[in-house]
């Protein structure tokens, strides 16, 4: 994947072998409102069934951000579990990572990429996401935010 949008000193990869799965689980299960308490087995299954993206410090190789995408690679994608380590926040990594993921997904000609967020709308709006125009047409089964 290209690194053109990432700040200097960072790289993004979709290589599953590079994902620090234990670290991702700790981030999500301990420091998010949407996945707090998520079991390791559940996180492992989620990772196995998704496209996974990590942002890494180019010098140390340490993972500092993560996101995953659920997609059929033809019509639809769901972006989720977007997380930037607290020590790496404020550098534009989250916005750059999501932009790189959006660009990566463009090869599939998807009709839409969806996500849900309770507090980061501004981050996603910067790279072209917008509120659903007709939310009354959408439905959900299961737990809502």
């Amino acid at each position: 994947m290209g690194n053109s949008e990432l700040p200097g000193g960072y790289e993004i990869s979709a290589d599953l072998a590079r994902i620090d799965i234990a670290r991702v689980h700790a981030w999500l299960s301990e420091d998010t409102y949407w996945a707090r308490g998520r079991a390791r087995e559940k996180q492992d299954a989620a990772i196995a069934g998704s496209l996974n993206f990590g942002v890494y410090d180019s010098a140390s190789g340490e993972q500092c951000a993560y996101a995953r995408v659920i997609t059929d690679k033809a019509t639809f994608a769901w972006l989720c579990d977007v997380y930037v380590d607290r020590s790496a926040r404020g550098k534009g990594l989250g916005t750059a990572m999501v932009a790189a993921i959006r660009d990566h997904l463009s090869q599939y000609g998807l009709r839409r990429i969806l996500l849900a967020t309770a507090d980061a709308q501004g981050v996603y709006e910067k790279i072209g996401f917008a509120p659903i125009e007709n939310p009354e047409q959408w439905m959900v089964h299961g737990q809502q935010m």
Side-chain angles (χ1 to χ4, degrees):
M1 292 185 67
N3 296 322
S4 60
E5 297 186 47
L6 285 174
Y10 294 94
E11 60 186 357
I12 188 169
S13 174
D15 181 357
L16 179 59
R18 291 189 70 184
I19 300 293
D20 184 338
I21 295 172
R23 183 172 215 179
V24 167
H25 176 255
W27 282 338
L28 298 177
S29 68
E30 297 171 12
D31 195 35
T32 67
Y33 65 84
W34 68 88
R36 186 170 305 282
R38 184 182 288 168
R40 173 66 190 264
E41 298 77 24
K42 185 71 76 173
Q43 184 63 47
D44 289 354
I47 288 171
S50 303
L51 291 175
N52 298 272
F53 299 86
V55 174
Y56 305 89
D57 181 291
S58 298
S60 69
E62 183 178 4
Q63 186 173 349
C64 54
Y66 173 78
R68 67 187 182 92
V69 175
I70 304 155
T71 184
D72 60 9
K73 296 182 181 177
T75 62
F76 174 85
W78 179 266
L79 174 64
C80 55
D81 288 345
V82 177
Y83 186 89
V84 177
D85 186 80
R86 288 187 176 273
S87 67
R89 291 182 186 169
K91 301 176 183 180
L93 291 177
T95 302
M97 175 176 63
V98 173
I101 292 168
R102 176 203 61 205
D103 295 347
H104 178 84
L105 293 173
S106 69
Q107 68 184 305
Y108 303 120
L110 303 174
R111 183 172 177 184
R112 66 180 51 97
I113 302 169
L114 291 176
L115 62 85
T117 182
D119 59 359
Q121 289 81 359
V123 171
Y124 298 104
E125 287 172 348
K126 290 179 192 175
I127 53 173
F129 284 84
I132 293 175
E133 288 185 20
N134 299 302
E136 67 278 1
Q137 294 177 356
W138 292 86
M139 299 182 77
V140 63
H141 179 273
Q143 186 178 10
Q144 296 188 36
M145 293 173 72

